[in-house]
Amino acid sequence: PNPYKNTTSINLQLPTEAKVKAEVYSIHGSKVTTLCDRSFDKGFYRIDFSAKEQGYPAGVYVLVVTVDGKKFEYKLVEL
């Protein structure tokens, strides 16, 4: 869900084995954290994120997910 309170889950469905990197940035472009950076077998996966647990305030963040070199960007809003 977005906006979310406390923690949000990022769901991945991979049709084949893939290298996945998921990074979270502040709205100003500073990297907050790397959620994962590894290969996954095909299947369904869930990655959780909470800005507060990382020591950052509630606000707007950008999730960048790279799957086998293809980048996807999502806005996250933590209340």
Side-chain angles (χ1 to χ4, degrees):
N2 203 13
Y4 65 95
K5 190 168 186 164
N6 299 323
T7 302
T8 190
S9 296
I10 297 96
N11 296 305
L12 300 172
Q13 179 182 357
L14 302 173
T16 61
E17 180 182 347
K19 170 85 164 115
V20 177
K21 186 173 189 177
E23 299 174 296
V24 178
Y25 293 85
S26 74
I27 197 68
H28 304 291
S30 302
K31 186 172 14 174
V32 173
T33 190
T34 299
L35 299 175
C36 69
D37 185 8
R38 66 181 185 91
S39 293
F40 287 84
D41 291 329
K42 76 175 189 173
F44 294 91
Y45 297 91
R46 186 180 93 186
I47 302 168
D48 295 325
F49 171 70
S50 170
K52 291 176 188 169
E53 288 179 11
Q54 299 287 329
Y56 289 89
V60 179
Y61 294 88
V62 178
L63 169 67
V64 179
V65 179
T66 306
V67 180
D68 284 340
K70 290 185 179 180
K71 283 190 177 185
F72 305 89
E73 293 186 10
Y74 306 94
K75 182 168 74 171
L76 302 175
V77 180
E78 183 164 337
L79 302 176

